């Protein structure tokens, strides 16, 4: 009886347990793309049952006890745990784990696990690009990577951007080298949606690229298909509108007339506007030129997939962006097509091919110069109307008080005609052959070929006698053909000894050639004075009817490189790099250079004595030192070439001819960059917090300085001739970088990712040997130089007079050194200049450092939140300590002013910052600190809110992911700077921070969707 009771109890318990077991099936997908993750591991926590997902990410597990927890993991993704309940089907989305130490980082001619990297390397993922929605790739680098600063030359559609990695190191080309899938490419032409990862090499790790690595290297990996994956289609679209992010507060008509009246009265003249109060607000010329709700639209489609042997990815995109200024006279259209194929020919032989075709068409308006559209909009009198009583565009009176170069900006827009289109095909073809286990031979050919055509039409027009009158119509056309190719051949060998000593050796050679030509011509007297007939073949002018010019170039580089990497048990890491380059840009004696570098690391957290720390999960110390080169200079500096222009007299007539150009310097050689870096990498609190800190020094030697004065006996004084270029300058950049990130999945429904980075940079010129001790650049007004490269000072610092407030009364004027040498004796209400050298007189010898265009610190703060199906992101950037020259104000009597002049000096004690209004002679208009402003700013670059719609809403439509979002780019900029864009620059190392009225970056409102099939 007792045994029967036990038997019945056993059966009941068994039945109960059996009733609580479930057959579980589900799908594991990538959260960002919705694609299945084949091979994802699914196991029962603290149990023995496990399985892997199939080609579509599907899995099944039989008889899973109720209350169990499934653990789903995949390399490169955050592991997720899901409780088992009565549901027999579950869907799991894994988030990419960007902080994973097993993440593979591209380092040039190879890759390493993130844990093993010994250089200063930073990465950006495709997820960041998807969130930021940059029109140009460079924009995604701003604020996301420490040590990288991006400035815009213009906010106009298609406007150029400048990237600076760890400061400005040369008076020449400071742009980093972009390597796209292994070949030298153009970052600005890429479709951001085609990019998988961006890796930035900031220190001696870039020495593997030798002569092109001194300014840093940006490695781009484009998207590839996945093996064993069915074809998937990803479609991304957004549409929106743009508005100006800023208007400058100019005077309205009443304020303007009152100011002019006061200026005339202070000089003893009659009032030109006796009825100033009856003028009202007048014309807001900025409102006239800035468009409203200017459209932008982008479409992007990608098809990818693969079998066991082949993977592929094909994509196309279309971007159409109109300009804030000019309507159909400005805009940017870009179309791209891309194809990527990877295939295993045999078990040992693999082949890959990538090709990208880019076409863009751009129309532009005159900008960032005296006489530009925005310059005119800021300076034209608000008392003038845009149109006269007949409906024609108003002519600005041809009177000196209105300025000889100020014209109606609407007429300027209407009479601007130009077009520029660019076509480029670039890509790579590569082979990889495994000779024996651990030894691979790689060959790769990269190529770029591009053609561009430009046309501009100068319509015959009379602006009322202004200097911009066009007495004779003309059309200028040009065509350019640029090409380059590179061929890489290198061996990779990996070997482990006793499972402790790990070696990786890379040796190879690179051949690079670039060549091209250009042709330009001008024809006069365009039929019908019309854009429709603007073609040189139709021009009818007979006198100087055709003018033409042409050029061609052919440059080559041959390189050999080697890299040896060693680690002991993954704890002690060493790397040595040597590259030999020879370049045709230098003479025979200096064409070859060697670039060595060394990096080392110590993973302290892997040491036995370190133990198991609940606080610090990963701790690595690393250091690097190396030499890199720069051959990004004008060619043929070592040769004397007849490429100058001169005028000769034949038979009593002046004849244009050819003369010697720059004097040759056979000793010209490479610029050299010595880079030192020491840093630490930390992961804390179960890898939730990551910290990267670096101290760096970058010393650039032998900068190439143009036109160094030499004896005129060699002929440099002849028309068209120039002084030679010499290696005569050194610059040093040094500073700190710090980045911290905190990422956590608080619950199954809520996660966040917070990142902050800051960079502190000091810049100092240490040598200038050109006879004068300085190099000048930049202009204030028409001809005053603003900027210098000089020993002991930051590169490109502003050089002028220091002001010290406003003279309040005649006694202060009498007690101060005379300012007559600056143009006029001072009067109460004028700027007071500092007698820097103390000699009792204010003159040119008192000019000094009045500002620095290089920011002392840059920083980014980025936030991503996810709650259930919602996501939110915000990206910000700050630049602290950079100055800018205010140079968009025209010094004419009837030129408009910004409203800061409302706080001008009108009597003793009224103002100590803004001088009096007067039409008399003063020294207030000389270049001084009065025109240099603190351009520090904080910019909210991007804010976006998205919602992931449940896949079952779409039934059998095939849609696996659908996300909709709204966003704003360039939401707001906090700054005291009065100009349009405190973060703009012309890109020139010397004089780049002079603002002629930079085209503002638009504020863009977007509505978009990401859909996967």
């Amino acid at each position: 009886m007792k045994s029967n009771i036990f038997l019945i109890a056993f059966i009941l318990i068994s039945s109960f347990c059996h009733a609580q077991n479930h057959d579980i099936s589900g799908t594991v997908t990538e959260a960002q793309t919705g694609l299945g993750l084949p091979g994802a591991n699914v196991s029962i926590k603290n149990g023995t049952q496990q399985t892997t997902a199939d080609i579509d990410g599907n899995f099944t597990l039989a008889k899973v006890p109720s209350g169990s927890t499934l653990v789903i993991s995949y390399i490169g993704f955050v592991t997720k745990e899901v409780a088992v309940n009565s549901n027999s089907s579950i869907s799991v989305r894994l988030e990419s784990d960007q902080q994973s130490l097993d993440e593979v980082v591209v380092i040039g001619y190879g890759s390493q696990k993130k844990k093993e990297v010994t250089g200063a390397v930073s990465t950006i993922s495709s997820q960041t690009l998807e969130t930021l929605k940059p029109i140009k790739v460079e924009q995604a680098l701003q604020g996301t990577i420490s040590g990288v600063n991006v400035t815009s030359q213009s906010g106009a559609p298609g406007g150029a951007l400048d990237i600076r990695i760890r400061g400005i190191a040369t008076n020449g080309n400071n742009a980093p080298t972009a390597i796209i899938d292994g070949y030298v490419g153009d970052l600005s032409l890429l479709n951001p949606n085609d990019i998988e990862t961006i890796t930035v090499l900031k220190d001696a790790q870039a020495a593997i690229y030798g002569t092109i690595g001194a300014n840093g290297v940006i490695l781009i990996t484009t998207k590839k298909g996945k093996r064993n994956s069915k074809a998937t289609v990803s479609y991304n679209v957004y549409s929106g509108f743009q508005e100006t992010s800023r208007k400058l507060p100019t005077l309205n008509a009443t304020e303007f007339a009152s100011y002019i009246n006061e200026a005339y009265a202070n000089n003893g003249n009659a009032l030109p506007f006796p009825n100033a109060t009856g003028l009202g607000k007048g014309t807001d010329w900025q409102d006239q030129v800035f468009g409203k709700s200017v459209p932008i639209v982008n479409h992007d489609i990608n098809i990818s997939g693969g079998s066991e042997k082949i993977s592929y990815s094909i994509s196309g995109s279309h971007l159409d962006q109109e300009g804030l200024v000019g309507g159909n006279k400005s805009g940017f259209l870009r179309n791209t097509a891309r194809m990527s194929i990877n295939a295993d020919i045999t078990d040992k032989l693999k082949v890959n091919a990538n090709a990208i075709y880019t076409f863009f068409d751009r129309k532009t308006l005159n900008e960032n110069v005296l006489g530009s559209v925005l310059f005119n909009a800021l300076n034209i009198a608000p008392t003038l109307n845009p149109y006269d009583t007949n409906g024609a565009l108003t002519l600005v009176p041809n009177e000196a008080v209105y300025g000889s170069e100020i014209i109606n900006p609407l007429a300027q827009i209407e009479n601007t005609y130009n077009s520029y289109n660019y076509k480029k095909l670039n890509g790579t073809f590569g082979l990889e052959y495994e000779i024996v286990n651990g030894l691979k031979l790689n060959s790769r050919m990269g190529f770029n070929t591009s053609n561009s055509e430009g046309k501009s039409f100068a319509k015959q027009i009379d602006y009322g006698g202004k200097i911009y009158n066009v007495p004779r119509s003309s059309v200028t056309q040009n065509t350019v053909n640029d090409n380059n190719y590179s061929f890489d051949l290198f061996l990779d060998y990996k070997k482990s000894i006793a499972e402790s000593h790990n070696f990786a050796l890379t040796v190879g050679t690179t051949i690079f050639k670039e060549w091209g030509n250009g042709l330009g011509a001008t024809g006069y007297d365009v039929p019908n004075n019309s854009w429709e007939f603007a073609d040189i073949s139709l021009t009818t002018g007979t006198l100087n009817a055709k003018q033409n010019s042409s050029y061609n170039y052919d440059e080559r580089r041959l390189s050999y490189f080697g890299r040896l990497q060693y680690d002991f048990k993954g704890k002690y890491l060493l790397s040595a790099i040597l590259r030999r380059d020879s370049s045709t840009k230098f003479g025979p004696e200096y064409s070859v250079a060697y670039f060595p570098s060394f990096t080392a690391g110590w993973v302290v957290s892997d040491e036995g004595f370190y133990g198991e720390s609940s606080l610090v999960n990963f701790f690595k110390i690393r250091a690097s030192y190396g030499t890199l080169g720069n051959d990004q200079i004008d060619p043929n500096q070592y040769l004397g070439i007849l490429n100058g222009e001169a005028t000769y007299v034949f038979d009593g007539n002046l004849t244009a001819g050819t003369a010697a150009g720059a004097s040759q310097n056979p000793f010209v050689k490479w610029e050299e960059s010595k880079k030192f870096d020491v840093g630490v990498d930390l992961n804390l609190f179960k890898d939730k917090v990551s910290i990267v800190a670096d101290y760096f020094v970058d010393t650039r030697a032998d900068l190439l300085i143009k036109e160094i004065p030499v004896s005129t006996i060699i002929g440099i004084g002849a028309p068209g001739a120039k002084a030679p270029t010499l290696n005569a300058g050194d610059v040093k950049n040094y500073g700190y970088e710090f980045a911290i990130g905190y990422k956590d999945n608080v619950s199954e429904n809520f996660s966040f990712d917070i990142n902050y980075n800051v960079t502190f940079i000091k810049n100092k010129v240490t040598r200038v040997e050109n006879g004068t001790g300085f190099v000048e650049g930049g202009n204030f007004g028409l001809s005053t130089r603003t900027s210098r490269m000089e020993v002991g000072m930051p590169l490109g610092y502003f050089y002028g007079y220091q002001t010290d407030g406003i003279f309040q009364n005649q006694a202060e004027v009498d007690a101060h050194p005379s300012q007559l040498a600056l143009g006029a004796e001072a009067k109460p209400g004028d700027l007071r200049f500092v007698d820097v050298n103390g000699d009792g007189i204010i003159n040119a010898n008192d000019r000094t450092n009045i500002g620095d265009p290089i920011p002392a610190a840059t920083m980014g703060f980025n936030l991503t939140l996810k709650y259930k199906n919602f996501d939110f992101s915000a990206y910000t950037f700050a630049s602290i300590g950079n100055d800018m020259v205010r140079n968009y104000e025209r010094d004419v009597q009837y030129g408009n002013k910004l409203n800061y002049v409302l706080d001008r000096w009108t009597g003793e004690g009224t103002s100590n910052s803004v001088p009096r209004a007067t039409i008399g002679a003063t020294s207030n208009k000389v270049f001084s600190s009065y025109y240099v402003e603190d351009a520090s700013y904080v910019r909210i670059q991007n804010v976006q809110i998205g919602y992931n719609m449940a896949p079952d809403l779409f039934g059998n439509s095939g849609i696996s992911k659908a996300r909709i979002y709204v966003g704003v780019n360039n939401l707001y900029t906090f700054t005291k700077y009065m100009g349009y864009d405190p973060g703009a620059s012309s890109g020139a190392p010397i004089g780049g921070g002079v603002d002629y009225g930079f085209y503002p970056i638009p504020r863009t409102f977007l509505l978009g969707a990401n859909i996967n099939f």
Side-chain angles (χ1 to χ4, degrees):
M1 181 65 181
K2 185 181 292 187
S3 61
N4 289 335
I5 292 174
F6 283 122
L7 178 60
I8 293 171
F10 177 78
I11 293 173
L12 289 174
I13 294 173
S14 299
S15 300
F16 178 79
C17 292
H18 177 75
Q20 299 305 310
N21 289 345
H22 306 282
D23 292 337
I24 301 296
S25 63
T27 304
V28 184
T29 59
E30 183 179 350
Q32 295 295 328
T33 66
L35 300 176
L37 288 174
N41 183 268
V42 183
S43 62
I44 298 178
K45 190 174 184 178
N46 300 323
T48 58
Q49 285 180 275
Q50 65 176 2
T51 187
T52 57
D54 64 15
I55 189 172
D56 296 318
N58 299 319
F59 69 90
T60 59
L61 274 175
K63 298 181 179 180
V64 178
S66 181
S68 299
T69 300
L70 295 184
V71 179
I72 299 94
S73 61
Y74 193 81
I75 294 176
F77 290 80
V78 177
T79 298
K80 195 167 187 177
E81 296 184 358
V82 179
V84 175
N85 51 35
S86 58
N87 292 330
S88 60
S89 179
I90 61 175
S91 178
V92 181
R93 298 163 55 200
L94 295 186
E95 299 283 350
S96 176
D97 183 8
Q98 295 302 320
Q99 304 300 325
S100 171
L101 296 177
D102 290 327
E103 177 188 349
V104 175
V105 177
V106 178
I107 57 171
Y109 299 103
S111 59
Q112 279 184 304
K113 289 184 178 180
K114 186 176 181 179
K115 176 182 178 180
E116 300 169 351
V117 172
T118 50
V121 178
S122 299
T123 61
I124 296 176
S125 68
S126 58
Q127 287 87 346
T128 300
L129 293 168
E130 183 177 318
T131 299
L132 284 171
K133 292 293 181 296
I135 294 172
K136 304 187 79 173
V137 176
E138 302 97 305
Q139 295 167 327
L141 299 173
Q142 186 76 300
T144 55
I145 292 182
S146 61
V148 177
N149 190 20
V150 181
T151 58
S152 63
Q153 293 185 21
S154 168
L161 295 115
D162 295 297
I163 304 173
R164 301 289 181 258
I165 297 178
R166 289 184 169 178
I168 300 175
T170 174
N171 60 313
N173 184 359
N174 281 271
T177 298
I179 306 293
I180 304 170
D181 290 329
Y183 66 93
V184 176
D186 188 345
L187 190 65
S188 67
L189 297 178
L190 287 176
N191 169 25
N193 282 324
D194 285 338
I195 296 175
E196 184 65 35
T197 60
I198 301 175
T199 303
V200 180
L201 308 182
K202 296 181 281 188
D203 66 346
Q205 187 106 19
I208 194 72
Y209 291 104
T211 64
I212 57 176
N215 297 328
V217 175
I218 299 176
L219 305 174
I220 304 293
T221 302
T222 59
K223 292 179 179 178
K224 308 292 189 294
K226 292 184 178 181
R227 299 289 179 96
N228 298 315
S229 175
K230 65 180 182 179
T232 58
V233 179
S234 174
Y235 174 60
N236 302 296
V237 60
Y238 65 76
S239 180
F241 63 90
Q242 308 162 91
E243 63 180 25
T244 182
S245 55
R246 198 163 200 194
K247 281 179 54 183
L248 304 195
T250 52
L251 301 179
N252 63 35
T254 299
E255 294 167 336
F256 168 80
S258 298
Y259 180 89
I260 300 301
N261 282 344
E262 184 178 320
Y264 272 70
N266 286 342
N267 202 50
N269 296 74
L271 302 183
F273 296 99
N275 186 30
T277 56
L279 295 175
K281 292 188 176 181
T283 302
D284 187 328
W285 287 96
Q286 292 180 89
D287 278 347
Q288 294 293 320
V289 299
F290 282 127
K292 307 293 191 299
S293 299
V294 179
I296 180 173
V297 63
N298 182 82
H299 298 271
D300 181 272
I301 189 168
N302 179 272
I303 303 172
S304 63
S307 63
E308 185 177 350
K309 297 289 187 179
I310 298 175
S311 65
Y312 61 88
S313 178
I314 303 170
S315 67
S317 72
H318 169 79
L319 170 72
D320 194 351
Q321 180 188 15
E322 289 191 15
L324 289 175
V325 180
N328 61 2
K329 293 298 181 73
S330 69
F332 180 66
L333 183 148
R334 183 188 66 206
N335 294 319
T336 67
R338 183 184 63 90
M339 179 183 69
S340 171
I341 296 177
N342 294 268
D344 295 348
I345 306 301
T346 68
D347 290 341
K348 290 182 172 293
L349 179 62
K350 298 180 180 180
V351 62
N352 62 81
N354 301 276
I356 302 174
Y357 173 77
T358 303
F359 168 84
F360 74 78
D361 186 273
R362 189 182 183 212
K363 297 178 181 179
T364 58
L365 294 167
N366 196 13
E367 59 175 285
N368 196 32
V369 291
L370 294 176
S372 68
V373 172
L374 289 177
F375 178 88
N376 283 320
L378 291 174
N379 288 281
I380 188 172
T383 53
L384 298 175
N385 293 318
Y387 301 90
D388 61 24
T389 55
N390 297 320
L393 288 163
T394 299
L395 294 177
V396 178
N398 186 20
E399 302 172 19
V401 293
Y402 284 97
S404 61
E405 79 279 20
I406 297 176
I407 61 177
N408 186 333
L410 297 181
Q412 184 179 15
I413 292 171
E414 183 176 283
N415 295 303
T416 297
Y417 300 90
N418 63 69
S419 67
Y420 177 78
N421 66 73
Y422 180 94
K423 298 177 284 291
K424 183 172 186 176
L425 179 65
N426 54 286
T428 59
F429 177 78
L431 295 171
E432 178 187 296
Y433 183 71
E434 186 176 25
I435 301 173
V436 295
N437 186 32
L439 178 62
K440 295 179 180 179
L441 175 66
N442 296 272
S443 66
R444 178 173 58 213
M445 174 168 280
F447 66 91
N448 292 271
T449 181
S450 64
N451 292 276
S452 64
E453 295 178 350
K455 179 192 291 187
S456 62
F457 168 54
K459 184 178 181 179
Q460 182 180 352
I461 189 73
D462 184 356
Y463 289 110
K466 300 289 184 174
I467 63 173
Y468 292 115
N469 283 0
V470 181
R472 189 179 187 188
S473 66
S474 65
V475 58
T476 298
Q477 293 175 250
N478 59 73
T479 179
V480 175
N481 173 252
D482 294 313
N483 308 273
N484 68 54
Y485 75 80
S486 61
F487 178 73
D488 302 325
L489 183 66
F490 57 99
L491 281 167
D492 280 330
Y493 180 62
K494 294 183 178 180
K495 179 69 174 178
S496 295
I497 300 175
E499 298 183 356
S500 297
H501 303 276
N502 304 301
F503 297 88
L505 175 66
T506 302
V507 293
T509 181
T510 294
I511 300 169
F512 180 80
K513 176 181 178 178
E514 58 181 346
W515 72 100
N517 55 71
L519 176 65
T522 300
Y524 293 89
D525 299 335
V526 176
N528 301 318
N529 194 29
S530 169
W531 170 247
E532 285 73 19
F533 295 90
D535 190 276
I536 289 177
S537 64
L538 300 177
T539 53
T540 59
T542 55
L543 179 63
N544 295 326
K546 301 288 192 294
Q547 295 181 350
N548 60 72
S549 62
S550 65
Y551 69 89
N552 63 74
Y553 65 96
D554 187 339
E555 301 294 338
R556 307 177 189 190
R557 189 166 58 239
L558 174 64
S559 308
Y560 301 94
F561 58 88
R563 177 176 59 211
L564 176 63
Q565 296 165 298
Y566 166 77
D567 74 78
F568 176 71
K569 293 184 177 180
K571 292 188 295 185
Y572 311 118
L573 313 167
L574 296 171
S575 176
I577 298 171
L578 179 64
R579 177 151 172 156
R580 178 192 185 273
D581 281 303
S582 59
S583 173
T584 58
K585 290 190 176 181
F586 304 95
E589 294 185 23
Y590 295 93
S591 63
V592 176
Y594 292 85
F595 303 103
S597 76
F598 303 90
T599 66
W602 177 24
V603 184
V604 182
S605 54
D606 279 0
E607 293 289 359
F609 65 77
Y610 193 82
E612 292 290 335
S613 172
S614 59
L615 173 63
V616 180
N617 313 118
F618 177 73
F619 177 25
K620 178 175 66 179
I621 303 172
R622 51 184 167 73
S624 66
Y625 180 78
T627 303
L628 300 90
N630 180 28
D631 72 345
Q632 305 303 295
I633 62 168
D634 295 336
N636 304 318
Q637 299 292 317
Y638 67 97
L639 295 174
I641 301 177
L642 294 173
N643 61 355
E645 298 179 1
T647 303
Y648 300 90
V649 179
F650 290 104
D651 298 328
N653 297 317
L654 293 177
T655 304
T658 301
S663 298
Q664 71 184 81
N665 173 18
F667 306 108
V668 67
K669 60 182 180 179
W670 314 78
E671 290 185 0
E672 235 180 32
S673 175
K674 293 180 171 60
K675 295 180 182 286
F676 169 76
D677 183 280
V678 59
V680 297
D681 300 333
L682 288 169
N683 283 5
L684 312 174
F685 304 112
K686 297 182 179 179
D687 296 324
K688 294 178 181 179
V689 176
S690 62
I691 296 174
V692 179
D694 287 86
Y695 170 74
F696 62 88
V697 180
D698 184 353
T699 304
R700 189 71 60 92
D702 294 325
L703 271 62
L704 290 155
I705 298 178
K706 296 181 179 180
E707 299 186 36
I708 292 184
V710 294
S711 173
T712 57
I713 196 171
I714 66 173
I716 64 170
K722 295 179 181 179
T725 295
L726 272 66
N727 295 94
D730 296 345
V731 173
K732 180 180 180 181
N733 282 286
Y734 58 98
Y736 301 89
E737 291 177 9
F738 177 80
I740 183 169
Y742 181 22
K743 185 175 184 179
D744 192 11
N745 293 319
V746 179
S747 68
E748 184 177 346
N749 292 326
F750 179 65
S751 64
F752 63 85
D753 190 357
I754 303 174
N755 294 278
Y756 170 77
N757 66 79
V758 61
T759 304
F760 299 95
I761 290 182
K762 291 286 187 180
N763 176 281
K764 183 169 67 174
V765 177
T766 56
R767 180 171 71 105
V768 179
E769 295 180 356
N770 66 340
T772 62
F774 58 84
V775 178
E776 291 186 311
N779 280 326
F780 177 78
L782 298 176
S783 59
T784 301
R785 292 295 194 181
T786 62
S787 310
R788 283 189 170 187
M789 173 184 178
E790 188 173 6
V791 172
M793 307 301 293
L795 180 63
Y797 81 99
F798 299 130
Y799 182 74
Y801 297 95
Q802 183 67 51
T803 60
D804 183 27
I806 303 293
F807 289 114
Q808 298 297 318
N809 51 55
Q810 189 60 42
E812 289 185 2
V813 174
D814 295 340
H816 194 72
S818 172
Q819 298 183 172
L820 180 61
L822 303 188
E825 282 287 8
K827 294 182 179 180
D830 285 341
L831 290 173
R832 178 170 48 212
F833 297 99
V834 177
D835 182 12
V836 173
N837 61 5
D839 63 358
I841 186 172
I842 308 296
N843 57 22
N845 296 326
D846 290 302
R847 289 177 295 170
T848 186
N849 177 11
I850 57 173
D852 183 0
I854 301 174
T858 58
M859 60 190 74
F861 178 77
N862 310 313
L863 169 68
T864 300
L865 304 173
K866 294 183 179 180
Y867 177 71
K868 293 186 177 180
N869 290 338
F870 289 93
D871 58 79
F872 170 83
S873 62
Y875 284 73
T876 61
F877 176 78
S879 178
I880 309 298
N882 54 300
D883 297 314
M884 190 172 288
V885 174
R886 186 177 75 250
N887 191 35
Y888 44 77
E889 297 171 299
R890 180 68 172 100
D891 180 23
V892 294
Q893 293 173 20
Y894 282 15
N896 203 0
K897 307 290 188 290
L898 298 189
N899 68 0
Y900 71 85
V901 301
L902 298 177
D903 296 325
R904 63 189 176 274
W905 186 91
T906 57
E908 187 170 351
T910 56
S911 176
N912 196 39
S913 57
V914 182
R916 64 193 173 108
T918 181
I919 61 171
T922 74
S923 57
N924 294 336
K925 301 302 180 181
V926 301
F927 178 55
S928 68
S929 59
Y930 177 70
Y931 297 98
V932 178
E933 295 184 38
D934 180 4
S936 301
Y937 68 96
V938 176
R939 174 171 290 156
I940 303 175
Q941 299 192 119
N942 173 277
V943 174
Q944 188 179 122
I945 300 174
Y947 178 74
N948 287 283
M949 304 175 73
D952 55 12
L953 291 176
F954 303 98
N956 297 322
S957 64
I959 295 177
S960 59
K961 173 190 174 183
R963 176 179 177 268
I964 57 174
Y965 63 89
V966 292
V968 184
N969 289 345
N970 190 32
L971 178 61
Y972 194 80
T973 300
F974 300 90
T975 184
K976 293 182 179 179
Y977 180 63
M978 287 189 284
Y980 282 118
D981 184 3
S985 170
S986 70
I990 307 173
V994 180
D995 186 356
Y996 291 97
F998 284 114
Y999 194 122
I1001 299 174
R1003 179 181 295 117
T1004 307
F1005 299 87
L1006 301 175
L1007 172 64
N1010 312 123
I1011 303 172
N1012 289 350
F1013 298 90

